[in-house]
Amino acid sequence: MTAQILDGKALAQELRAGFKERVAALAARGQKPGLAVILVGEDPASQVYVRNKVEACAAVGLHSGKWAYPADVDPAVVLAKIAELNADPRVHGILVQLPLPRQFDAAAVLEAISPEKDVDGFHAENLGALVQGNPRFIPCTPYGVMKLLEKGQVDLAGKKAVVLGRSNIVGKPMALLLINAGATVTVCHSKTRDLKFHTANADIIVAAVGKPRFVTADMIKPGAVLIDVGINRLADGKLCGDVDFDGCKAVAALITPVPGGVGPMTITMLLANTIEAAEREAGL
Ligand code: NDP
């Protein structure tokens, strides 16, 4: 068997084309969705992510603003900026690029963002709504995974899904979305015993571990659906995922590549959340 490849780049382009129409509908009512991005410190990866987000906004007609601070900034300065952005009617979405430097209480910063503008979906109120199966904003990466599964026509009801990783931004919200979609979900992490027992029984595996080529062909069952969230930079500078793509594609039925799988979907769903916020405010 050779797996069908779920192309996140193509799906992202398809969705973004639809966003332009929604932005045009808002423009006809005198509204323009706006995203505010806060970046603290000089982490090169964070700088690339923020630049990509700002460029993606411009490409679909959203306005965006970036506020960059040195790594040693007083957290009070950032909290004051968040308060200002919360009150600014031109801003529909606010995101703080993670990770934050050590002097920050990251949870307190995320809680300072108005839940109505929390387009990353990390605020406790929004995570609570997701737990209840009635989300306001779905965290962008798991949201992108759900869109990929939908595109691949993966029927989740009654399926066994294994999520590798239990972070607040990927693993946990991913598990909730799969549960809400009717899958029977197992969440594995670094303390899980006999990981292969779980993965070998899974119809769907979402890997968000942060270890290159962690999921190998011998760990999966024939015909499995493999969604690779991992982004790992190898010594030669190339990117690879948490799944051994070349080995697993001979066993799986559907697989996402890295790059070109989940990555492009994450920013796409950030745009979706920002547009949704503006539409909600416009009463659409
Ligand atoms: P974290 O480091 O926060 O979480 C990693 C998770 O993997 C933890 O829950 C950890 O368990 C678990 N883990 C570590 N080792 C093992 C192991 N041997 N067996 C099973 N589980 C293990 O990472 P994130 O969730 O933030 O990100 C995961 C990956 O996804 C990274 O590569 C990241 O770069 C990528 N990513 C990609 C995005 C995209 O847009 N494509 C967006 C966000 C992240 P424990 O909790 O016990 O420590």
Side-chain angles (χ1 to χ4, degrees):
M1 176 184 288
T2 298
Q4 187 190 328
I5 292 169
L6 260 178
D7 184 343
K9 206 168 157 196
L11 179 57
Q13 275 169 3
E14 187 185 317
L15 292 173
R16 288 183 200 198
F19 294 166
K20 285 188 187 162
E21 289 168 23
R22 289 163 66 184
V23 173
L26 282 161
R29 303 167 68 107
Q31 297 259 7
K32 186 167 187 172
L35 176 71
V37 183
I38 293 178
L39 172 65
V40 185
E42 283 84 40
D43 177 54
S46 292
Q47 285 178 342
V48 172
Y49 292 142
V50 166
R51 196 175 60 227
N52 290 346
K53 287 168 187 175
V54 167
E55 285 175 5
C57 281
V60 294
L62 272 58
H63 75 79
S64 64
K66 180 182 114 178
W67 285 266
Y69 300 93
D72 61 356
V73 67
D74 183 341
V77 172
V78 174
L79 289 170
K81 175 53 71 180
I82 291 174
E84 192 187 311
L85 294 168
N86 281 341
D88 186 339
R90 293 164 303 174
V91 173
H92 302 91
I94 303 170
L95 81 82
V96 176
Q97 186 65 42
L98 299 175
L100 286 165
R102 237 184 277 150
Q103 77 270 25
F104 279 85
D105 175 350
V109 171
L110 297 178
E111 293 308 292
I113 297 171
S114 161
E116 281 81 21
K117 297 190 178 187
D118 167 42
V119 281
D120 260 339
F122 296 159
H123 192 287
E125 186 178 312
N126 288 325
L127 284 173
L130 179 61
V131 171
Q132 291 175 331
N134 187 25
R136 181 197 274 132
F137 292 114
I138 301 173
C140 303
T141 299
Y143 195 1
V145 172
M146 294 305 283
K147 287 284 174 192
L148 280 163
L149 290 168
E150 191 184 307
K151 183 71 183 175
Q153 296 180 312
V154 179
D155 179 14
L156 294 166
K159 296 284 165 53
K160 285 186 196 147
V162 165
V163 179
L164 301 177
R166 57 171 167 175
S167 71
N168 287 339
I169 65 172
V170 186
K172 283 181 197 162
M174 187 73 250
L176 289 167
L177 288 169
L178 291 166
I179 291 169
N180 292 346
T184 301
V185 181
T186 303
V187 180
C188 298
H189 44 77
S190 67
K191 308 285 186 291
T192 299
R193 289 184 196 153
D194 197 0
L195 194 70
K196 192 171 162 183
F197 166 80
H198 298 287
T199 56
N201 276 306
D203 301 305
I204 297 137
I205 298 174
V206 181
V209 177
K211 293 190 192 299
R213 301 182 186 124
F214 181 79
V215 178
T216 48
D218 61 308
M219 293 169 68
I220 64 171
K221 86 171 180 189
V225 174
L226 293 186
I227 307 288
D228 191 351
V229 177
I231 301 177
N232 306 290
R233 175 98 36 207
L234 300 173
D236 63 4
K238 289 191 181 147
L239 290 182
C240 88
D242 289 350
V243 172
D244 174 21
F245 182 85
D246 290 334
C248 289
K249 78 171 193 278
V251 183
L254 266 179
I255 189 166
T256 61
V258 177
V262 175
M265 292 302 295
T266 295
I267 294 188
T268 301
M269 301 329 290
L270 173 69
L271 300 175
N273 280 346
T274 307
I275 295 167
E276 276 168 30
E279 288 172 342
R280 260 198 294 271
E281 202 198 72
L284 290 174

